[in-house]
Structures are given as structure tokens and as C-alpha cells.
């Protein structure tokens, strides 16, 4: 008689299987660490020529990996007694007592790790009972104990060919397929869930497999079913948290990473991860508290120091942010991102020359880093040193031709110089090489609009098409939508202006240009009922802007000349 999971005698042994599986969730993979964006990821904020803080909003670089490594531990068969007991369900309904007596020596050999002996004893039994899935499953266990996963899988598959729903064989095959990363593991685990929908280990395994496929929607659903089993697996919790961040469920992610940290408080990578998400959720004080044990331990890890500096800056403690950022630069003087971060802080606090000086120090150690030239060029724009700015942007393009940021910033510098003709020549030359650069297209539309073309003129049509193409290439580019709404208003196309303004506000609710264009378009179209509320919203945004400006100006950077400040060495 074939053994299937429908037999009530198997239910007690099932609990033993789950007890074992819960002790060693899915191979205990080692998960990737955090890493900042690669060099060249600098973003230039349109219109303001300001380096965007890479820890702000959607630009936050949460989960770039430090190293890609997943080590699947071998199955520890000597402690899988629950699995073995499940195979040895009561024999009164399955095989004759004499057969059960002959199997006793086989199971004894397996328990003490005598796998070759167990295989020898199994041969005559399989000849007598070739349709017994238990015997084939015992053979699978023996081969697995020897490390022969290929033969073990064949034995488990043979058992499933006799009884497709025989649970011990399903779990044995699923475990091997999972550890080898085979896609068949998913199908086997799903078959287990058909019988046991709430099996936490199967859910956890499916979650990890979905994570590897970058299917965070499915992964999160299965992680949720893993329950408290995950608390003993910080690596799985980290993957769970990663997916929640990617799904923009940051508060849930904070809860999950906190659970992971509770299981491994000494793991600096988990602590870094939690602090990163806390900062993403605009909770800088919490991020600082999370990082404090590492800072008190005098860490020299530049990534940790950089994150701490960003948290202190977000918490409006610029002196501490600058102090820690300088420590990070001393610790890792070849890290281009650190110099760019310092330039960001310098721009925020209108300390442009201090930023230039620090970028100069960075260029001494990394003379071919294109992002440093872009950053210094933007600082020169703020200092009205336009020739130097353009030279830096040209140098950035020469070093890294695919880097569109340098080209865009050069055009932007010319626009800010109030020389639209020169800007237009520069932009057209760049667009001839990069016709599908959305930022350059936006800048061209803005430059043409600054010239005040009449609706219907060639320049007006060119500006309109440039803005439309920029949006088609990057729908989230709110600045291009602002220009398009302005052009539509000029042409009397109020409904089209309303549509573009609303879409820009969906991307950035604080976009004052979009709000202003929306008010204008609604008034011109006679739809004035919502204008009072929009005006209140505009006033509130302007008050917020004034407050933010005061915060930026509260602390003016002064270059430190103290002997305690070490100079970065190449």
C-alpha cells in the first residue's frame, strides 16, 4: 500500500518535521550588505543648481550591496530526527510487522550516521518492496547524509513517483532543490502548502526564493506567513525589510529591521540598515540613536560615519554633521561620495568656498573622478565664477562621456548666468550627441521659454516639443511639466495646463511653480471654487520655504584650521 500524507498516523510525525525545520530555516543564507551608490550618481536639482542630498526622499540609496554572497549551509541530517521519525510512521496500516522489524536496523544506522550501512541494508528491502515510498525516502536520507545530493534527490523523486503527496519525500526534495537554488523548489514547496497552508518554514523558503527573483510582492506575503520563525533568522528578516522598503512600506520595514537587530545587536550591518530606513522615514533622531553604539565605539567605517553625518544634518545639528563627515574623509580619503556629501552641506549653508576647498582636497586623491568636477562646477556657479564652472563641466564630460549630469549642469550654469543665447548653443551641441537626455531637453525648453517666444512661433513649438519629449522619457520630471504648463497657459490651453500642473504636484506636492500655474489656469477657465484653498496652500509652502531658508543660514560653515584635523592623504 502506498503511503500518502492523508494517513492520520502521519500527523504527529508532521509536528516533529516542523520542529526540526523551524530550527534551521531555509539554509540560513548570508545576505548582502549595504553600499552607497557607485560613483557618478550625483543628481543636480533643476533651477537651483543644488546638489541633492542622497539621503533625501526617493534619492535615498538604501540597498546597494557591499558584497553579493549567499552561502547555503548543508543539511544537518544528524539532527533531522523529526524528519526521520515522520518517515517511520506506524506500520500497522502500511507494511507487515516483519518488514517493520527489518527496517529497524536501517533507522538505527541513520541515527548514528552510518549511512553506507543503511544503504546496504536498504537494497534487499527495496527489492522486496519496490513500491514503498518510505524505503525510497530513507534511501534519500542516507544519500543526503553522505553528501550525495544528486542520488538523494533521485530517491526522493522516486518516492514521489509512487505517492505524489508523500510529505516526507516532498520536504526532502524541496530542501535539496532549495539549497541548490533550483526553480523546482518553488513547485515542491507550493505542493506542501496545499496540504499545510500555514507551514511557516515552507512560507519562509518561498519568501527567500521570491526575494532572489526580485519579486518583493510575493516575498512579503510569504514572509508574513513565516511568523515568529523568522526571529531566529536575522538574514531572512533583513530580506523581508529590504522588500518592504522597495514597496515603500518604511514603517513596517523599521519594525522588521528592529526585530533583526534584536537578534544580532553586534551586527553593524543590521544596525546600519535600520538607521538607513529610519533616516529614509525622516526620523533622524532615531537613526542617530541606532548608530550611537557604533559611534561610541570609535568606528572608522566610512559608510557608517557618512550615514551618521547625514542623520545629524537632517536633525539640524550641522556642526556635528561636519565633524563626523570630516572623520569619514580622513578614514577613507579615496571615497568620492564623501566629498560630494560635503559639497551638499556647503551649498545648503551657502559656504561655497569651503566646499570648493574640500573638493580640491578630493581631487588631489582622485584626480579623475568626474563627479568631483561636477560638484565643484556647481559650487563655482554659486560663486559666479562661470568660466571655472564650465571648465569643470567640460572636464567631467571628458572623463566620463556617458555622464549626462555634467552636460546638464553646464547648460544650467549658462542659464543662471542670464545668457540664454549661450545656453541654447551649449544645449543644442550636447543634444546633438545625446538626443534622448530628458534633463537636457528640459533645459532646452526652459531656455527657449526664457526668451519669451510668441505662441505659434518656431521657438515656441520647439520649446513645447522639448518639454513633451523630456516628460515622455522621464514622467517624474516635474520641472519639465512646470515648463509645459507655462507654455500651455501662454497658448490659452488652460485644461492642458491644469492637467500638467496636477501631475507635477502628484510628483512633488511642494512644487510652488506647479501650484501657481494651477491657480492661474483654474482662474482663466472660470473654475474658481478651489482657488481659496490653493492660495492657502501656497502661503503655507512659502512660509515653510522661509523657515527652511532660516535653518540653512543658521549655521555658516567656517573652515577649521585646528591641528587636530588631519589632511587626507593620497
Amino acid at each position: 500500500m502506498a503511503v500518502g500524507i492523508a494517513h492520520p498516523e502521519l500527523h504527529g510525525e508532521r509536528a516533529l518535521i516542523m520542529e526540526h525545520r523551524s530550527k534551521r530555516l531555509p539554509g540560513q543564507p548570508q545576505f548582502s550588505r549595504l553600499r552607497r551608490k557607485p560613483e557618478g550618481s550625483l543628481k543636480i536639482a533643476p533651477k537651483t543648481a543644488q546638489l541633492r542630498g542622497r539621503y533625501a526622499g526617493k534619492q535615498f540609496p538604501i540597498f546597494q550591496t557591499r558584497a553579493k554572497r549567499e552561502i547555503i549551509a548543508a543539511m544537518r541530517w544528524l539532527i533531522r530526527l523529526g524528519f526521520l521519525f515522520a518517515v517511520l510512521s506506524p506500520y500497522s496500516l502500511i507494511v507487515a510487522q516483519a518488514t517493520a522489524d527489518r527496517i529497524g536496523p536501517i533507522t538505527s544506522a541513520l541515527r548514528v550516521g552510518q549511512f553506507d550501512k543503511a544503504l546496504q541494508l536498504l537494497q534487499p528491502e527495496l527489492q522486496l518492496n519496490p513500491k514503498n515510498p518510505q524505503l525510497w525516502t530513507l534511501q534519500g536520507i542516507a544519500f543526503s547524509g553522505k553528501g550525495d545530493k544528486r542520488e538523494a534527490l533521485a530517491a526522493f523523486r522516486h518516492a514521489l513517483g509512487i505517492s505524489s503527496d508523500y510529505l516526507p519525500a516532498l520536504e526532502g526534495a524541496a530542501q535539496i532543490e532549495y539549497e541548490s537554488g533550483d526553480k523546482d523548489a518553488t513547485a515542491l514547496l507550493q505542493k506542501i502548502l496545499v496540504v499545510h497552508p500555514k507551514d511557516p518554514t515552507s512560507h519562509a523558503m518561498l519568501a527567500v526564493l521570491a526575494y532572489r527573483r526580485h519579486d518583493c510582492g510575493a516575498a512579503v506575503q510569504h514572509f508574513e506567513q513565516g511568523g515568529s520563525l523568522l526571529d531566529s533568522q536575522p538574514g531572512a528578516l533583513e530580506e523581508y525589510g529590504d522588500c518592504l522598503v522597495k514597496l515603500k512600506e518604511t514603517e513596517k520595514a523599521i519594525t522588521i529591521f528592529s526585530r533583526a537587530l534584536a537578534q544580532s545587536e553586534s551586527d553593524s550591518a543590521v544596525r546600519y540598515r535600520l538607521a538607513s530606513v529610519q533616516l529614509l522615514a525622516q526620523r533622524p533622531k532615531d537613526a542617530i540613536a541606532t548608530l550611537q553604539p557604533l559611534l561610541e565605539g570609535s568606528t572608522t567605517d566610512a559608510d557608517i560615519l557618512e550615514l551618521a553625518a547625514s542623520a545629524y544634518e537632517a536633525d539640524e545639528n550641522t556642526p556635528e554633521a561636519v565633524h563626523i563627515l570630516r572623520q569619514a574623509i580622513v578614514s577613507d580619503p579615496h571615497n568620492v561620495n564623501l566629498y560630494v556629501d560635503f559639497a551638499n552641506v556647503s551649498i545648503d549653508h551657502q559656504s561655497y568656498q569651503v566646499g570648493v576647498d574640500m573638493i580640491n582636497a578630493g581631487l588631489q586623491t582622485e584626480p579623475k573622478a568626474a563627479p568631483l568636477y561636477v560638484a565643484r562646477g556647481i559650487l563655482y556657479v554659486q560663486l559666479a565664477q562661470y568660466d571655472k564652472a564650465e571648465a569643470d563641466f567640460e572636464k567631467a564630460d571628458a572623463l566620463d562621456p556617458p555622464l549626462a549630469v555634467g552636460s546638464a549642469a553646464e547648460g544650467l550654469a549658462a542659464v543662471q548666468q542670464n545668457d540664454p543665447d549661450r545656453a541654447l548653443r551649449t544645449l543644442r551641441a550636447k543634444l546633438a550627441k545625446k538626443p534622448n537626455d530628458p534633463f537636457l531637453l528640459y533645459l532646452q525648453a526652459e531656455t527657449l521659454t526664457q526668451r519669451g517666444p510668441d505662441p505659434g512661433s518656431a521657438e515656441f513649438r520647439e520649446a513645447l516639443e522639448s518639454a513633451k519629449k523630456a516628460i515622455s522619457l522621464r514622467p517624474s520630471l516635474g520641472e519639465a511639466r512646470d515648463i509645459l504648463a507655462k507654455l500651455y497657459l501662454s497658448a490659452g490651453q488652460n485644461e492642458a495646463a491644469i492637467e500638467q500642473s496636477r501631475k507635477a504636484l502628484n510628483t512633488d506636492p511642494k512644487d510652488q511653480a506647479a501650484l501657481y500655474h494651477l491657480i492661474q489656469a483654474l482662474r482663466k477657465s472660470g473654475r474658481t471654487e478651489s482657488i481659496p484653498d490653493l492660495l492657502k496652500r501656497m502661503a503655507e509652502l512659502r512660509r515653510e520655504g522661509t523657515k527652511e531658508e532660516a535653518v540653512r543660514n543658521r549655521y555658516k560653515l567656517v573652515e577649521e584650521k585646528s591641528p587636530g584635523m588631519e589632511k587626507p592623504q593620497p
Side-chain angles (χ1 to χ4, degrees):
M1 177 180 177
V3 179
I5 57 175
H7 291 298
E9 288 80 9
L10 288 179
H11 293 176
E13 287 76 4
R14 168 65 182 170
L16 291 172
I17 294 173
M18 296 313 300
E19 178 183 355
H20 167 72
R21 296 176 77 208
S22 66
K23 291 178 181 177
R24 62 163 315 278
L25 174 75
Q28 299 183 3
Q30 301 297 315
F31 300 109
S32 53
R33 304 301 188 188
L34 293 173
R35 189 66 179 171
R36 291 298 312 275
K37 285 185 179 178
E39 295 178 8
S41 60
L42 176 65
K43 303 294 183 182
I44 307 297
K47 300 180 183 178
T48 62
Q50 191 176 65
L51 304 176
R52 280 183 183 163
R54 275 168 293 178
Y55 291 99
K58 295 180 181 179
Q59 303 299 326
F60 189 73
I62 303 295
F63 300 120
Q64 297 294 331
T65 59
R66 286 183 179 175
K68 289 285 186 182
R69 54 188 180 93
E70 282 191 348
I71 303 172
I72 306 300
M75 294 176 70
R76 299 174 183 175
W77 293 101
L78 292 179
I79 63 170
R80 285 184 62 90
L81 295 182
F83 185 92
L84 183 58
F85 292 157
V87 180
L88 303 175
S89 57
Y91 284 90
S92 58
L93 298 177
I94 302 171
V95 294
Q97 183 63 44
T99 302
D101 290 341
R102 291 196 298 271
I103 287 179
I106 299 171
T107 61
S108 296
L110 289 172
R111 287 191 180 99
V112 297
Q114 297 177 352
F115 303 116
D116 286 326
K117 180 179 179 180
L119 288 171
Q120 291 175 356
L121 294 171
L122 276 164
Q123 289 306 312
E125 296 303 324
L126 284 168
Q127 291 176 2
L128 290 172
N129 299 284
K131 297 296 185 181
N132 187 329
Q134 287 180 308
L135 294 175
W136 288 104
T137 301
L138 288 170
Q139 186 185 68
I141 294 174
F143 277 124
S144 293
K146 285 169 59 77
D148 191 343
K149 299 303 175 65
R150 181 177 178 180
E151 291 297 330
L153 184 59
F156 289 134
R157 291 257 181 218
H158 196 106
L160 292 172
I162 299 168
S163 178
S164 62
D165 58 354
Y166 184 44
L167 190 57
L170 275 173
E171 292 190 326
Q175 186 76 53
I176 292 177
E177 297 281 26
Y178 172 85
E179 292 179 352
S180 64
D182 197 286
K183 61 181 183 298
D184 290 340
T186 298
L188 291 166
L189 290 165
Q190 287 172 342
K191 288 190 71 172
I192 295 172
L193 289 179
V194 169
V195 183
H196 296 280
K198 295 183 179 181
D199 175 9
T201 304
S202 294
H203 277 296
M205 287 181 171
L206 283 168
V208 172
L209 291 171
Y211 177 86
R212 294 175 191 166
R213 298 193 308 271
H214 308 291
D215 184 356
C216 276
V220 165
Q221 291 180 10
H222 287 297
F223 276 129
E224 288 174 348
Q225 297 296 319
S228 60
L229 175 63
L230 300 180
D231 287 331
S232 62
Q233 303 292 332
L237 285 172
E238 289 180 53
E239 290 188 344
Y240 187 6
D242 285 355
C243 274
L244 288 169
V245 172
K246 291 172 185 175
L247 296 176
K248 300 181 180 179
E249 298 186 40
T250 51
E251 292 302 324
K252 288 184 179 179
I254 288 172
T255 300
I256 296 302
F257 282 123
S258 296
R259 284 170 59 185
L261 184 60
Q263 298 301 321
S264 54
E265 292 190 1
S266 61
D267 190 334
S268 61
V270 178
R271 192 172 291 279
Y272 180 97
R273 226 174 187 128
L274 173 59
S276 298
V277 185
Q278 289 169 329
L279 189 54
L280 178 63
Q282 299 182 3
R283 291 163 56 174
K285 292 185 184 298
D286 291 344
I288 292 168
T290 298
L291 293 172
Q292 201 60 45
L294 301 177
L295 298 175
E296 291 175 354
S298 301
T299 181
T300 58
D301 187 310
D303 288 339
I304 292 171
L305 292 171
E306 184 180 24
L307 181 60
S310 296
Y312 276 111
E313 176 66 8
D315 197 38
E316 301 180 9
N317 188 347
T318 301
E320 189 64 20
V322 171
H323 172 69
I324 292 177
L325 194 52
R326 286 181 181 272
Q327 282 185 288
I329 291 172
V330 170
S331 176
D332 188 2
H334 294 276
N335 189 329
V336 171
N337 286 329
L338 298 176
Y339 298 100
V340 173
D341 281 353
F342 196 96
N344 290 339
V345 177
S346 300
I347 288 175
D348 285 343
H349 297 281
Q350 301 178 17
S351 299
Y352 309 124
Q353 187 57 52
V354 174
V356 168
D357 293 342
M358 184 57 78
I359 294 295
N360 287 341
L363 286 169
Q364 290 179 11
T365 60
E366 292 294 330
K368 295 184 178 181
L372 294 183
Y373 286 100
V374 173
R376 192 173 65 177
I378 292 174
L379 288 162
Y380 280 141
V381 168
Q382 302 300 327
L383 291 168
Q385 298 179 24
Y386 300 113
D387 291 340
K388 290 183 177 181
E390 291 187 26
D392 273 351
F393 294 138
E394 286 290 349
K395 180 68 173 179
D397 278 344
L399 288 169
D400 189 358
L403 185 64
V405 174
S407 300
E410 181 179 356
L412 183 59
V415 171
Q416 287 204 337
Q417 195 180 353
N418 296 318
D419 188 350
D421 292 335
R422 180 181 178 185
L424 194 57
R425 288 194 301 271
T426 300
L427 289 166
R428 283 175 172 163
K430 297 300 182 183
L431 280 168
K433 299 177 182 177
K434 302 174 184 176
N436 293 319
D437 186 318
F439 201 80
L440 289 175
L441 287 164
Y442 148 68
L443 287 173
Q444 178 172 262
E446 182 180 53
T447 305
L448 289 167
T449 303
Q450 283 187 357
R451 293 158 65 98
D454 293 328
S457 67
E459 280 198 351
F460 186 91
R461 290 193 299 272
E462 185 180 7
L464 199 67
E465 291 306 314
S466 291
K468 286 181 178 179
K469 186 175 180 180
I471 291 168
S472 70
L473 292 167
R474 188 182 298 174
S476 62
L477 190 55
E479 292 80 4
R481 293 192 185 277
D482 291 341
I483 292 296
L484 190 55
K486 183 177 181 178
L487 292 168
Y488 281 141
L489 278 170
S490 298
Q493 299 181 41
N494 297 323
E495 291 302 320
I498 290 171
E499 178 186 5
Q500 293 302 319
S501 298
R502 291 193 187 281
K503 287 182 177 180
L505 287 167
N506 285 338
T507 301
D508 180 8
K510 294 185 177 183
D511 186 338
Q512 293 188 42
L515 191 56
Y516 176 70
H517 292 149
L518 178 59
I519 292 170
Q520 280 188 310
L522 288 171
R523 182 177 286 116
K524 289 183 178 181
S525 63
R527 295 156 57 182
T528 59
E529 63 278 1
S530 61
I531 288 180
D533 288 337
L534 293 174
L535 288 171
K536 291 179 182 178
R537 184 174 167 187
M538 174 70 81
E540 181 60 29
L541 287 177
R542 288 182 175 174
R543 280 195 295 271
E544 288 181 9
T546 301
K547 181 179 178 181
E548 290 171 0
E549 182 69 18
V551 170
R552 284 195 295 269
N553 293 334
R554 185 179 302 159
Y555 181 80
K556 188 81 170 177
L557 289 176
V558 178
E559 189 167 20
E560 296 176 7
K561 300 292 186 180
S562 66
M565 174 58 192
E566 301 177 45
K567 184 177 180 180
Q569 297 298 321

